[in-house]
Amino acid sequence: MDRLTGPRKPIAAIGAGIWLTLRAARGMGQRLIAGDALAQRQLADGLPLHIWRPLRTLLPLAALAGMIAGIGAARLLTIYNAQIPVLGALAQILPRDIVPLLVGLFASGSVSVAIAARLGAMALNREIDALEALGRDPVAHALGPALVAVLLSTPIHMALAGVAAILGCALPLALIANVGWPLWAGFAFSHDAAQAMLTGMAKVLLYALIAFAVGSAVGARPVRSPADIGRRAITAFTAGLLGIFAAAALWTGLA
Amino acid sequence: MSALLAFDAVSLVLGGARLLDRIDLTVGPGERVGIVGDSGAGKGWLLKLAIGLAHPGSGSVRLMGQDLATTDADARRLLRARCGVAMQGGSLLGELSIEENMRLAIGTGGGRVARRIDRLLLEFGLEQAAATRADRLSIGEQRRAELARAFMRDPELLILDEPFEGAFARGEGLEAQVRRRIVPQGRALLLLTQDMVLAGRLCERLYRLERGRLLQQAAADTVPAATS
């Protein structure tokens, strides 16, 4: 892949990312079906790393994003006093567009970087060669548990970040536009908002898969020194951002 | 009987330098072959070529009778799983415990696998370290764990690259342990080392790797009575 130039390079990288993701899914499935105790232990280790630890940062971020959106909406309400369209639009835009993009950004910063760095470190420590020498599929071993943990984290991150954003939004709405919690909650937890939340979850799933595929493709490139690991992590982050924003733009454009 | 490992006119060029030049080598069942070479002579690449982790520029490598160039990745892994490999510098997975590293070599299994792991750890003096993460062990302990792991699957062929490097304090005992697990059980061995004396003690057939070519050395003494 390193020898390719021009448009063939990103195409090869996308292909590699998709191939690695599918192979990780298949390999992890086989390991779990076979009752591989090591796979279960790796998954148990991966869950806190990919699910619970990011929440410490993600939830305040979502609350702050909700607060910013809430301030904008509250200022609009003080001018136009059009509560139904403004609050209705806010209750849908938050879980459908703003929170998924935030979680996607976070996924790019954590998942793709973590995976690219882990693969680089494993290659440098000859752990990839060791797995191959033992007759093990390194993709299933190194990426499988992380993929399952990332997929499990998606709905949890989206749901909790969505709630945090709604709560963050409530404060400026109450302080600036005098919109009480019962009124805002009526919009935020409506049927339409729930549908928007489901759309948001689908988006976050796609973004997480993009982050995972980018991290895998970048991390699988040859590493010659520890400094390469840092460079790969930066590449994974920026390429992940690009991929997630491109997918978001495409989704919004086609929806 | 067909050779377990066969190099046929294998050449490897890296960075414009010819590292290996038309290497011919066969290791049959029960044979113990030593390749002695200086640092950077290409012994590590011989190991990688032997188990299909690298591909030769020309020539062919057959492992367990299968041409590695024509087998797919999954088939190559199955072939490798029939070998016991110890790489120079160690190749344990640092974040796994020693027991998990051992289990990695054999996959799933219940009590029988656990007993086998316990026995091997005991033989290699690692019974206290079973639950310790590999990256928290000393170099010597890591080396012993890697050698113990190489025997997990009852391999037909052992490929050991500097197997006792770093295990100086217990080197002799470790060598005797490895010998006991290879010679009486009729396992084949490809030993890659800089130590001609060690290779002479463990192997029946010796080669020197020099400027990319294998030069056969005088026949080593057969393994002494300590092995019986």
Side-chain angles (χ1 to χ4, degrees):
Chain A
M1 201 158 72
D2 281 346
R3 288 178 196 159
L4 296 176
T5 51
R8 284 188 299 171
K9 193 167 182 174
I11 291 170
I14 290 167
I18 293 170
W19 184 84
L20 286 166
T21 306
L22 292 175
R23 192 167 178 102
R26 196 190 73 161
M28 189 61 184
Q30 286 171 339
R31 289 179 71 193
L32 289 174
I33 288 167
D36 186 342
L38 188 56
Q40 291 162 13
R41 213 273 284 157
Q42 284 181 303
L43 190 55
D45 283 351
L47 289 180
L49 183 72
H50 291 286
I51 297 181
W52 306 123
R53 203 176 295 172
L55 286 177
R56 286 182 291 193
T57 317
L58 183 60
L59 293 186
L61 271 181
L64 287 170
M67 210 175 277
I68 293 165
I71 291 169
R75 282 180 182 156
L76 211 60
L77 285 175
T78 55
I79 300 167
Y80 298 111
N81 196 25
Q83 284 187 337
I84 292 176
V86 171
L87 292 179
L90 184 63
Q92 287 186 42
I93 276 179
L94 264 184
R96 195 183 56 215
D97 295 313
I98 296 175
V99 176
L101 207 54
L102 193 71
V103 177
L105 278 173
F106 203 78
S108 176
S110 59
V111 174
S112 59
V113 169
I115 286 169
R118 178 172 153 74
L119 287 182
M122 285 184 79
L124 210 57
N125 292 333
R126 283 170 294 187
E127 292 183 357
I128 302 286
D129 279 352
L131 286 165
E132 284 282 11
L134 291 169
R136 294 274 162 176
D137 180 0
V139 177
H141 183 90
L143 294 177
L147 177 63
V148 175
V150 166
L151 292 180
L152 287 175
S153 73
T154 303
I156 297 171
H157 284 179
M158 182 61 207
L160 294 179
V163 170
I166 287 168
L167 292 176
C169 217
L171 191 66
L173 285 177
L175 293 177
I176 301 170
N178 203 24
V179 174
W181 170 251
L183 178 61
W184 167 232
F187 283 99
F189 297 108
S190 66
H191 181 71
D192 290 343
Q195 274 189 332
M197 175 66 93
L198 285 179
T199 308
M201 279 198 183
K203 283 184 179 179
V204 167
L205 187 69
L206 176 68
Y207 300 160
L209 283 172
I210 288 171
F212 185 88
V214 167
S216 307
V218 174
R221 288 162 64 189
V223 175
R224 292 179 188 86
S225 69
D228 278 351
I229 297 176
R231 280 194 284 270
R232 295 279 179 275
I234 293 167
T235 307
F237 177 62
T238 50
L241 273 186
L242 203 62
I244 287 167
F245 270 77
L250 202 64
W251 189 307
T252 310
L254 294 175
Chain B
M1 202 177 286
S2 67
L4 295 178
L5 176 66
F7 281 65
D8 183 17
V10 167
S11 297
L12 184 70
V13 176
L14 282 177
R18 184 170 285 270
L19 197 63
L20 301 174
D21 187 11
R22 298 188 64 78
I23 300 281
D24 291 308
L25 175 75
T26 56
V27 181
E31 274 192 303
R32 300 189 304 279
V33 178
I35 295 178
V36 181
D38 295 335
S39 177
K43 300 189 297 295
W45 283 102
L46 273 179
L47 182 147
K48 285 187 173 181
L49 289 167
I51 56 174
L53 289 182
H55 300 288
S58 64
S60 67
V61 181
R62 299 177 77 82
L63 183 61
M64 311 292 171
Q66 304 278 319
D67 187 344
L68 291 176
T70 57
T71 50
D72 63 24
D74 288 334
R76 281 200 297 275
R77 285 192 192 105
L78 288 175
L79 292 173
R80 277 182 214 128
R82 291 167 63 186
C83 304
V85 177
M87 294 179 174
Q88 187 181 18
S91 60
L92 295 174
L93 274 78
E95 64 181 27
L96 301 185
S97 70
I98 292 302
E99 188 184 343
E100 286 169 336
N101 266 286
M102 302 282 282
R103 201 171 275 278
L104 201 58
I106 207 157
T108 55
R112 199 173 57 83
V113 170
R115 282 193 296 278
R116 182 164 180 75
I117 291 172
D118 287 345
R119 196 170 70 240
L120 275 167
L121 290 180
L122 190 67
E123 282 180 20
F124 283 84
L126 289 163
E127 65 277 14
Q128 303 292 329
T132 311
R133 271 176 62 131
D135 56 8
R136 298 203 178 133
L137 294 180
S138 69
I139 301 288
E141 284 173 316
Q142 287 180 10
R143 207 63 197 139
R144 278 186 278 145
E146 187 154 4
L147 284 169
R149 190 179 67 179
F151 290 102
M152 266 306 286
R153 287 216 203 202
D154 274 334
E156 298 163 65
L157 169 66
L158 272 297
I159 305 176
L160 307 180
D161 189 0
E162 297 293 3
F164 309 120
E165 184 185 49
F168 304 113
R170 303 176 95 162
E172 280 180 25
L174 193 56
E175 185 188 324
Q177 186 61 46
V178 168
R179 191 186 287 168
R180 269 197 294 276
R181 285 221 147 246
I182 293 176
V183 182
Q185 306 192 31
R187 292 188 171 119
L189 167 68
L190 176 63
L191 175 69
L192 305 160
T193 181
Q194 295 186 42
D195 188 343
M196 178 68 90
V197 178
L198 169 71
R201 284 199 302 264
L202 277 178
C203 302
E204 305 160 309
R205 191 147 49 92
L206 284 186
Y207 294 90
R208 181 158 197 93
L209 183 60
E210 225 172 70
R211 282 182 292 232
R213 313 221 42 157
L214 275 188
L215 310 171
Q216 185 147 13
Q217 302 293 292
D221 291 340
T222 50
V223 178
T227 58
S228 56

PDB file of all heavy atoms in Angstrom, chain B residues 199-212:
ATOM      1  N   ALA B 199      25.267 -25.614  19.048  1.00  0.00           N
ATOM      2  CA  ALA B 199      24.724 -26.315  17.884  1.00  0.00           C
ATOM      3  C   ALA B 199      25.323 -27.711  17.788  1.00  0.00           C
ATOM      4  O   ALA B 199      24.629 -28.682  17.468  1.00  0.00           O
ATOM      5  CB  ALA B 199      25.021 -25.517  16.615  1.00  0.00           C
ATOM      6  N   GLY B 200      26.620 -27.837  18.104  1.00  0.00           N
ATOM      7  CA  GLY B 200      27.282 -29.141  18.071  1.00  0.00           C
ATOM      8  C   GLY B 200      26.691 -30.099  19.092  1.00  0.00           C
ATOM      9  O   GLY B 200      26.589 -31.290  18.846  1.00  0.00           O
ATOM     10  N   ARG B 201      26.291 -29.535  20.251  1.00  0.00           N
ATOM     11  CA  ARG B 201      25.737 -30.402  21.298  1.00  0.00           C
ATOM     12  C   ARG B 201      24.328 -30.869  20.953  1.00  0.00           C
ATOM     13  O   ARG B 201      23.944 -31.974  21.283  1.00  0.00           O
ATOM     14  CB  ARG B 201      25.699 -29.634  22.623  1.00  0.00           C
ATOM     15  CG  ARG B 201      27.052 -29.500  23.295  1.00  0.00           C
ATOM     16  CD  ARG B 201      26.883 -29.156  24.779  1.00  0.00           C
ATOM     17  NE  ARG B 201      26.142 -27.932  24.983  1.00  0.00           N
ATOM     18  CZ  ARG B 201      26.692 -26.732  25.183  1.00  0.00           C
ATOM     19  NH1 ARG B 201      28.004 -26.613  25.193  1.00  0.00           N
ATOM     20  NH2 ARG B 201      25.952 -25.665  25.387  1.00  0.00           N
ATOM     21  N   LEU B 202      23.570 -30.004  20.294  1.00  0.00           N
ATOM     22  CA  LEU B 202      22.154 -30.320  20.085  1.00  0.00           C
ATOM     23  C   LEU B 202      21.858 -30.962  18.727  1.00  0.00           C
ATOM     24  O   LEU B 202      20.845 -31.632  18.586  1.00  0.00           O
ATOM     25  CB  LEU B 202      21.304 -29.043  20.196  1.00  0.00           C
ATOM     26  CG  LEU B 202      20.896 -28.589  21.596  1.00  0.00           C
ATOM     27  CD1 LEU B 202      20.105 -27.296  21.520  1.00  0.00           C
ATOM     28  CD2 LEU B 202      20.037 -29.650  22.278  1.00  0.00           C
ATOM     29  N   CYS B 203      22.735 -30.744  17.750  1.00  0.00           N
ATOM     30  CA  CYS B 203      22.361 -31.126  16.383  1.00  0.00           C
ATOM     31  C   CYS B 203      23.266 -32.220  15.811  1.00  0.00           C
ATOM     32  O   CYS B 203      24.423 -32.357  16.199  1.00  0.00           O
ATOM     33  CB  CYS B 203      22.395 -29.906  15.468  1.00  0.00           C
ATOM     34  SG  CYS B 203      21.301 -28.619  16.038  1.00  0.00           S
ATOM     35  N   GLU B 204      22.706 -32.931  14.834  1.00  0.00           N
ATOM     36  CA  GLU B 204      23.469 -33.984  14.166  1.00  0.00           C
ATOM     37  C   GLU B 204      24.143 -33.455  12.913  1.00  0.00           C
ATOM     38  O   GLU B 204      25.140 -33.988  12.467  1.00  0.00           O
ATOM     39  CB  GLU B 204      22.518 -35.098  13.723  1.00  0.00           C
ATOM     40  CG  GLU B 204      21.670 -35.680  14.815  1.00  0.00           C
ATOM     41  CD  GLU B 204      20.460 -36.392  14.251  1.00  0.00           C
ATOM     42  OE1 GLU B 204      19.742 -35.794  13.424  1.00  0.00           O
ATOM     43  OE2 GLU B 204      20.239 -37.540  14.629  1.00  0.00           O
ATOM     44  N   ARG B 205      23.519 -32.453  12.324  1.00  0.00           N
ATOM     45  CA  ARG B 205      24.023 -31.914  11.061  1.00  0.00           C
ATOM     46  C   ARG B 205      24.187 -30.409  11.233  1.00  0.00           C
ATOM     47  O   ARG B 205      23.262 -29.750  11.737  1.00  0.00           O
ATOM     48  CB  ARG B 205      23.008 -32.226   9.959  1.00  0.00           C
ATOM     49  CG  ARG B 205      23.452 -31.984   8.565  1.00  0.00           C
ATOM     50  CD  ARG B 205      22.798 -33.003   7.600  1.00  0.00           C
ATOM     51  NE  ARG B 205      21.369 -33.157   7.745  1.00  0.00           N
ATOM     52  CZ  ARG B 205      20.455 -32.464   7.056  1.00  0.00           C
ATOM     53  NH1 ARG B 205      20.826 -31.562   6.193  1.00  0.00           N
ATOM     54  NH2 ARG B 205      19.169 -32.693   7.238  1.00  0.00           N
ATOM     55  N   LEU B 206      25.327 -29.894  10.834  1.00  0.00           N
ATOM     56  CA  LEU B 206      25.605 -28.475  11.057  1.00  0.00           C
ATOM     57  C   LEU B 206      25.944 -27.768   9.748  1.00  0.00           C
ATOM     58  O   LEU B 206      26.647 -28.324   8.902  1.00  0.00           O
ATOM     59  CB  LEU B 206      26.807 -28.302  11.987  1.00  0.00           C
ATOM     60  CG  LEU B 206      26.615 -28.538  13.473  1.00  0.00           C
ATOM     61  CD1 LEU B 206      27.887 -28.173  14.202  1.00  0.00           C
ATOM     62  CD2 LEU B 206      25.459 -27.704  13.983  1.00  0.00           C
ATOM     63  N   TYR B 207      25.447 -26.549   9.642  1.00  0.00           N
ATOM     64  CA  TYR B 207      25.791 -25.697   8.502  1.00  0.00           C
ATOM     65  C   TYR B 207      26.259 -24.361   9.038  1.00  0.00           C
ATOM     66  O   TYR B 207      25.859 -23.944  10.122  1.00  0.00           O
ATOM     67  CB  TYR B 207      24.580 -25.456   7.607  1.00  0.00           C
ATOM     68  CG  TYR B 207      24.064 -26.683   6.923  1.00  0.00           C
ATOM     69  CD1 TYR B 207      23.086 -27.477   7.530  1.00  0.00           C
ATOM     70  CD2 TYR B 207      24.531 -27.060   5.669  1.00  0.00           C
ATOM     71  CE1 TYR B 207      22.591 -28.602   6.909  1.00  0.00           C
ATOM     72  CE2 TYR B 207      24.036 -28.190   5.037  1.00  0.00           C
ATOM     73  CZ  TYR B 207      23.069 -28.949   5.670  1.00  0.00           C
ATOM     74  OH  TYR B 207      22.589 -30.069   5.044  1.00  0.00           O
ATOM     75  N   ARG B 208      27.085 -23.699   8.239  1.00  0.00           N
ATOM     76  CA  ARG B 208      27.445 -22.333   8.570  1.00  0.00           C
ATOM     77  C   ARG B 208      26.834 -21.433   7.503  1.00  0.00           C
ATOM     78  O   ARG B 208      26.968 -21.709   6.311  1.00  0.00           O
ATOM     79  CB  ARG B 208      28.977 -22.194   8.601  1.00  0.00           C
ATOM     80  CG  ARG B 208      29.398 -20.817   8.965  1.00  0.00           C
ATOM     81  CD  ARG B 208      30.809 -20.738   9.527  1.00  0.00           C
ATOM     82  NE  ARG B 208      30.914 -19.450  10.192  1.00  0.00           N
ATOM     83  CZ  ARG B 208      30.680 -19.245  11.460  1.00  0.00           C
ATOM     84  NH1 ARG B 208      30.371 -20.232  12.247  1.00  0.00           N
ATOM     85  NH2 ARG B 208      30.758 -18.046  11.982  1.00  0.00           N
ATOM     86  N   LEU B 209      26.150 -20.385   7.940  1.00  0.00           N
ATOM     87  CA  LEU B 209      25.558 -19.429   7.010  1.00  0.00           C
ATOM     88  C   LEU B 209      26.537 -18.275   6.834  1.00  0.00           C
ATOM     89  O   LEU B 209      26.792 -17.518   7.771  1.00  0.00           O
ATOM     90  CB  LEU B 209      24.218 -18.918   7.561  1.00  0.00           C
ATOM     91  CG  LEU B 209      23.430 -17.955   6.679  1.00  0.00           C
ATOM     92  CD1 LEU B 209      23.058 -18.592   5.341  1.00  0.00           C
ATOM     93  CD2 LEU B 209      22.141 -17.508   7.379  1.00  0.00           C
ATOM     94  N   GLU B 210      27.107 -18.196   5.639  1.00  0.00           N
ATOM     95  CA  GLU B 210      28.155 -17.209   5.394  1.00  0.00           C
ATOM     96  C   GLU B 210      27.915 -16.555   4.048  1.00  0.00           C
ATOM     97  O   GLU B 210      27.812 -17.249   3.034  1.00  0.00           O
ATOM     98  CB  GLU B 210      29.516 -17.926   5.405  1.00  0.00           C
ATOM     99  CG  GLU B 210      30.580 -17.209   6.195  1.00  0.00           C
ATOM    100  CD  GLU B 210      31.828 -18.070   6.326  1.00  0.00           C
ATOM    101  OE1 GLU B 210      32.514 -18.264   5.310  1.00  0.00           O
ATOM    102  OE2 GLU B 210      32.075 -18.563   7.429  1.00  0.00           O
ATOM    103  N   ARG B 211      27.850 -15.270   4.047  1.00  0.00           N
ATOM    104  CA  ARG B 211      27.604 -14.493   2.822  1.00  0.00           C
ATOM    105  C   ARG B 211      26.430 -15.077   2.029  1.00  0.00           C
ATOM    106  O   ARG B 211      26.497 -15.246   0.803  1.00  0.00           O
ATOM    107  CB  ARG B 211      28.858 -14.438   1.961  1.00  0.00           C
ATOM    108  CG  ARG B 211      29.867 -13.426   2.502  1.00  0.00           C
ATOM    109  CD  ARG B 211      31.058 -13.344   1.624  1.00  0.00           C
ATOM    110  NE  ARG B 211      31.823 -14.555   1.684  1.00  0.00           N
ATOM    111  CZ  ARG B 211      33.127 -14.627   1.934  1.00  0.00           C
ATOM    112  NH1 ARG B 211      33.797 -13.542   2.138  1.00  0.00           N
ATOM    113  NH2 ARG B 211      33.749 -15.757   1.970  1.00  0.00           N
ATOM    114  N   GLY B 212      25.401 -15.460   2.750  1.00  0.00           N
ATOM    115  CA  GLY B 212      24.176 -15.913   2.109  1.00  0.00           C
ATOM    116  C   GLY B 212      24.175 -17.362   1.681  1.00  0.00           C
ATOM    117  O   GLY B 212      23.179 -17.851   1.153  1.00  0.00           O
TER     118      GLY B 212
END
